[in-house]
Amino acid sequence: MPYTMPFLKLTHEGALRALDAALKKAEMLGVPQNITIVDDGGNLLAFLRMDGAKVLSIRTSQKKAISAASLRQPSGHLKPELEVKMAIATESALTNLEGGFPIVIDGVCVGAIGVGSGTGAQDCEVARAGLAALGAQPL
């Protein structure tokens, strides 16, 4: 029985590539955003607060990314009745706001991207641009 296994890892180069693509999409939309990239454990790899992005959305972009990495699904996909329980159980570390997506490469979650400061639809569009730059499978 093996006690270790090989794994894929999101590098800082990959995080910067996703961040740059998301930044370009936000600029194209004309929506200043906070963009967070984390590894599969929710640890920060890259972050950008664009000029004019909402300050309070710094934390929500981070929580969206951590939620997507932790739950291995896009944020905003939980049943509404679970939101408060999840927030209490995780001491508000996770959120059900739209805009967080796991970064899945070859079927493996290697990290996540979280975007916040626009509408939910804008946040998702910017995050998907980051995924596309890595060739990640959208969920």
Side-chain angles (χ1 to χ4, degrees), residues 86-107:
M86 181 180 65
I88 291 169
T90 65
E91 296 179 349
S92 298
L94 302 182
T95 185
N96 199 34
L97 295 171
E98 292 180 306
F101 290 86
I103 299 171
V104 178
I105 307 289
D106 295 333

Side-chain angles (χ1 to χ4, degrees), residues 92-138:
S92 298
L94 302 182
T95 185
N96 199 34
L97 295 171
E98 292 180 306
F101 290 86
I103 299 171
V104 178
I105 307 289
D106 295 333
V108 177
C109 179
V110 297
I113 182 170
V115 178
S117 195
T119 65
Q122 291 167 331
D123 296 350
C124 289
E125 188 173 351
V126 170
R128 284 187 188 105
L131 294 178
L134 298 175
Q137 296 96 5

Side-chain angles (χ1 to χ4, degrees), residues 71 73-80 82-83 86 95-102 124 128 139:
L71 300 172
Q73 69 180 22
S75 61
H77 284 198
L78 288 179
K79 295 178 183 176
L82 297 177
E83 290 178 359
M86 181 180 65
T95 185
N96 199 34
L97 295 171
E98 292 180 306
F101 290 86
C124 289
R128 284 187 188 105
L139 299 177

Side-chain angles (χ1 to χ4, degrees), residues 6-32:
F7 64 95
L8 295 175
K9 179 180 169 74
L10 182 62
T11 63
H12 74 270
E13 289 97 350
L16 291 174
R17 182 181 184 113
L19 183 71
D20 185 57
L23 167 65
K24 286 180 175 146
K25 177 59 87 171
E27 289 174 336
M28 187 186 86
L29 295 174
V31 179

